[in-house]
Amino acid sequence: MRERSGTPNLHESVGTMLKGMARLISRVHKVKHGEQQEGQHYNIPHQDLKTVFPHGLPPRFLMQVKTFSEACLMVRKPALELLQYLKNTNFAHPAVRYILYGEKGTGKTLSLCHVVHFCAKQDWLILHIPDALRWVKNCRDLLQSTHNKQRLDQPLEASTWLKNFKTSNERFLSQIKVQEKYVWNKRESTEKGSPLGEVVEQGITRVRNATDAVGIVLKELKRQSSSGLFHVLVAVDGVNALWGRTTLRREDKSVIAPEELALIHNLRKMVKNDWNGGAIVLTLSQTGSLFKPRTAYLPQELLGKEGFDALDPFIPILVSNYSPKEFESCIQYYLENNWLQHEKAPTEEGRKELLFLSNANPGQLERLCAYL
């Protein structure tokens, strides 16, 4: 990515001033995002990036964050629709499943990040799987599960997830107490009534136990979410990977099915709506759809019959290309940050060309603008 340069002209200075005003409005009302904020950008504080997104952000967006020295998300209609649903959640009812779907590059992951940040600021416990594909692709050091010999543990993936989970939810880990005793080996156990944080630490410090620790964390949260002491957001990016094919093989070269992986087995149970006290927000990912057509994006196409039946019923939310208002806002944001420096970029002709080349697809537009 290139460095920003150039001296702002009068138009840019005025634009920067207006942007500052819009940012102030958006920041003040970020907890109350509504239709009036659609198309505006709001800034995620630097500290929140470390605590809410310890695993990082989508690579292309992260490059933009580093270049602009700020993490700005656009307030878009799919996220607003979802936030409205979440604000009206009846926590006494079974958790509702929401599925963000759409063509490649439309912004499903960033819409999910918007929702995760919103819920974190509302003091929800965040159970975030930023890329389910990582759990079914190119995993090293698979071990036979000590809990169930028919399944396989993924200690490295589980340990990494537990570290990030701890960072995002540290304040909850001392409050939530486990409701049964868990024996790790002949010398170590976690007693009934111990803080959930002890289970998390066990998985981090004893990597071999990490997969079992993840399973216990999910089981305890699911069991205790109805207490009303905390609300749980289950957010899984690329949930279709849970029912797709894996790239993992045994020593005899036979393919490992996703249900044979203990992490996948436990996560499938977490996205069932047989618990209350929270919500389940999922995205479908073409990237995570191994062996599926590249043009597939509908839920029944990416999930397959088994996955679709497992998640039914759910509320589908389409994430489409930029609306005219969102497209204009994105172009203006790039101009104000001196990211678009081509002499035709601010002109009507230049914008029409960018619109034509990108078809208002957020991912395509970002890539096109990176070279201008």
Side-chain angles (χ1 to χ4, degrees):
M1 301 280 268
R2 51 176 167 62
E3 295 293 323
R4 290 180 287 168
S5 61
T7 306
N9 57 29
L10 180 61
H11 171 75
E12 289 168 338
S13 299
V14 173
T16 304
M17 226 166 64
L18 291 172
K19 183 181 80 166
M21 290 167 61
R23 288 285 173 73
L24 179 62
I25 293 168
S26 190
R27 187 177 294 128
V28 169
H29 296 293
K30 65 185 178 185
V31 174
K32 302 176 182 176
H33 276 160
E35 289 183 10
Q36 65 273 27
Q37 276 86 34
E38 185 184 346
Q40 288 186 4
H41 289 80
Y42 85 97
N43 188 48
I44 298 178
H46 184 68
Q47 185 56 36
D48 287 359
L49 293 181
K50 295 179 179 179
T51 55
V52 181
F53 304 104
H55 47 75
L57 290 157
R60 299 285 304 187
F61 182 69
L62 193 58
M63 289 167 70
Q64 183 175 296
V65 170
K66 290 178 179 177
T67 305
F68 297 163
S69 299
E70 62 178 6
C72 272
L73 280 177
M74 186 187 292
V75 180
R76 299 191 62 201
K77 199 166 186 176
L80 289 176
E81 180 184 347
L82 190 41
L83 292 181
Q84 190 59 39
Y85 290 140
L86 293 177
K87 290 172 188 174
N88 296 319
T89 298
N90 186 331
F91 295 105
H93 291 171
V96 176
R97 291 177 287 214
Y98 305 93
I99 294 186
L100 294 163
Y101 74 101
E103 296 184 30
K104 189 173 182 180
T106 51
K108 299 179 290 294
T109 295
L110 288 181
S111 292
L112 182 67
C113 289
H114 186 167
V115 171
V116 167
H117 185 243
F118 173 86
C119 289
K121 301 311 285 182
Q122 296 296 300
D123 210 30
W124 288 43
L125 186 147
I126 307 297
L127 203 160
H128 190 189
I129 313 294
D131 187 1
L133 177 64
R134 290 182 188 173
W135 288 3
V136 298
K137 182 182 178 185
N138 303 332
C139 300
R140 295 177 291 116
D141 301 326
L142 295 176
L143 300 174
Q144 187 180 50
S145 172
T146 52
H147 180 69
N148 185 327
K149 303 297 183 185
Q150 303 301 312
R151 297 198 191 104
L152 295 165
D153 284 351
Q154 297 162 277
L156 297 180
E157 285 73 22
S159 178
T160 299
W161 184 82
L162 284 169
K163 289 174 187 173
N164 293 330
F165 175 79
K166 177 186 175 184
T167 302
S168 297
N169 301 286
E170 191 135 27
R171 63 194 179 282
F172 291 105
L173 299 183
S174 58
Q175 301 170 14
I176 301 172
K177 313 296 184 185
V178 297
Q179 294 186 342
E180 61 182 274
K181 179 179 178 179
Y182 297 102
V183 178
W184 304 103
N185 52 47
K186 291 179 180 178
R187 296 188 303 276
E188 293 179 295
S189 64
T190 299
E191 297 298 322
K192 180 180 178 180
S194 300
L196 186 63
E198 287 189 18
V199 174
V200 174
E201 284 301 325
Q202 177 68 220
I204 294 171
T205 56
R206 303 279 193 273
V207 178
R208 189 178 181 87
N209 294 331
T211 306
D212 287 342
V214 171
I216 292 169
V217 167
L218 299 188
K219 183 175 80 170
E220 289 287 344
L221 292 180
K222 194 172 182 179
R223 179 189 288 171
Q224 298 188 44
S225 60
S226 60
S227 66
L229 298 176
F230 56 92
H231 302 320
V232 178
L233 175 72
V234 177
V236 184
D237 201 356
V239 71
N240 44 303
L242 305 189
W243 289 276
R245 289 163 61 184
T246 78
T247 62
L248 309 177
R249 294 179 180 272
R250 297 182 183 80
E251 291 181 1
D252 63 4
K253 303 298 182 184
S254 60
V255 177
I256 297 171
E259 60 268 18
E260 295 178 84
L261 301 170
L263 284 179
I264 299 298
H265 172 78
N266 289 321
L267 188 53
R268 281 185 180 185
K269 289 197 288 187
M270 200 67 208
V271 297
K272 288 182 178 179
N273 64 341
D274 56 355
W275 56 279
N276 57 311
I280 303 166
V281 182
L282 315 167
T283 74
L284 300 180
S285 168
Q286 287 86 342
T287 311
S289 307
L290 303 173
F291 315 108
K292 294 277 187 183
R294 294 183 66 180
T295 55
Y297 73 93
L298 295 172
Q300 57 267 40
E301 293 177 313
L302 294 180
L303 287 167
K305 187 178 187 309
E306 184 186 5
F308 190 91
D309 289 346
L311 293 177
D312 192 35
F314 60 85
I315 296 177
I317 298 175
L318 176 64
V319 184
S320 52
N321 289 336
Y322 281 147
S323 66
K325 183 178 180 180
E326 291 171 341
F327 179 84
E328 185 62 32
S329 176
C330 183
I331 294 293
Q332 195 61 33
Y333 179 71
Y334 287 154
L335 285 170
E336 288 164 355
N337 281 280
N338 295 320
W339 187 238
L340 272 175
Q341 296 185 1
H342 194 281
E343 65 273 11
K344 287 191 177 181
T347 67
E348 188 67 25
E349 181 188 356
R351 294 180 190 219
K352 283 182 178 178
E353 190 168 337
L354 284 171
L355 179 61
F356 174 77
L357 291 172
S358 67
N359 194 29
N361 179 275
Q364 288 295 331
L365 180 63
E366 187 274 328
R367 282 174 166 79
L368 283 169
C369 292
Y371 297 101
L372 300 174

